């Protein structure tokens, strides 16, 4: 793998990690909103005279809502980063559908080369040697680097 392919690999391999982070941020947002709703409902049931514990509960609900806002902002940032990586893979697929498909299977679906080889053999009705799949993957990485450069991605 040359330096261009290595840079493309490093950029694209973060796809799955960022996708997991996006799902974690979305889950954190949902938990924080749910907790804030439960706290607010409990405080609302306490009656018209606010007690010191109700004040603490309200502060806790506000804290949960702030946490939810931070999680939503983080989620938006992760979604933008995933969209950049999708754009690179799409640009490769526009130039060479097979290379785009290989990048998608390898980086987005996290399939190992052995499974990609099996899929290609079944889909293309043509057996692929393991070394051929690696060469195609390297070619796809080179194309991804060129797409990154064209798009102005670091």
């Amino acid at each position: 793998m040359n330096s261009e392919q290595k840079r493309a690999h490093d950029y694209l391999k973060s796809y799955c990690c960022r996708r997991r982070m996006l799902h974690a941020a979305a889950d954190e947002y949902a938990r924080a909103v749910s907790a804030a709703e439960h706290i607010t409902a409990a405080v609302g049931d306490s009656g018209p005279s606010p007690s010191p514990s109700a004040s603490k509960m309200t502060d806790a609900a506000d804290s949960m809502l702030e946490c939810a806002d931070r999680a939503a902002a983080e989620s938006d940032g992760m979604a933008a980063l995933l969209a950049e990586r999708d754009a690179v893979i799409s640009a490769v697929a526009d130039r060479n559908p097979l290379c785009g498909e290989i990048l998608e299977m390898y980086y987005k679906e996290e399939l190992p080369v052995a499974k990609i080889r099996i899929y290609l053999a079944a889909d293309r009705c043509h057996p692929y040697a393991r070394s051929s799949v690696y060469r195609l993957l390297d070619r796809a990485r080179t194309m991804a680097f060129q797409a990154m450069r064209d798009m102005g991605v670091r």
Side-chain angles (χ1 to χ4, degrees):
M1 190 180 322
N2 64 31
S3 63
E4 291 177 353
Q5 293 167 347
K6 178 77 172 125
R7 284 185 59 196
H9 171 72
D10 290 342
Y11 180 75
L12 292 171
K13 78 177 180 183
S14 67
Y15 187 94
C16 292
C17 177
R18 294 195 188 280
R19 186 178 62 211
R20 283 187 210 102
M21 291 171 68
L22 174 65
H23 291 301
D27 290 345
E28 181 181 346
Y29 174 80
R31 282 193 306 273
V33 168
S34 176
E37 287 173 353
H38 287 292
I39 291 171
T40 304
V43 169
D45 292 342
S46 66
S49 61
S51 66
S53 63
S55 173
K56 289 180 183 178
M57 295 285 275
T58 303
D59 291 344
D62 291 341
S63 176
M64 288 294 175
L65 290 174
E66 288 174 14
C67 180
D69 291 341
R70 282 193 306 273
E74 183 179 327
S75 177
D76 292 343
M78 287 298 139
L81 293 173
L82 286 176
E84 284 180 1
R85 280 147 182 83
D86 276 334
V88 169
I89 292 173
S90 293
V92 171
D94 290 344
R95 290 182 57 203
N96 186 325
L98 178 60
C99 287
E101 191 174 5
I102 288 174
L103 287 178
E104 187 168 324
M105 286 187 283
Y106 191 77
Y107 291 107
K108 289 175 79 172
E109 298 174 21
E110 296 182 275
L111 292 178
V113 169
K115 291 206 181 210
I116 293 172
R117 182 175 165 238
I118 292 168
Y119 173 80
L120 290 176
D123 187 52
R124 303 277 194 261
C125 298
H126 174 296
Y128 281 83
R130 186 179 169 117
S131 60
S132 297
V133 176
Y134 276 111
R135 279 196 302 273
L136 285 169
L137 184 58
D138 284 343
R139 185 180 307 151
R141 287 177 182 141
T142 300
M143 294 173 76
F145 178 79
Q146 291 167 351
M148 289 166 51
R149 189 180 56 215
D150 294 345
M151 293 176 172
V153 176
R154 58 172 172 124

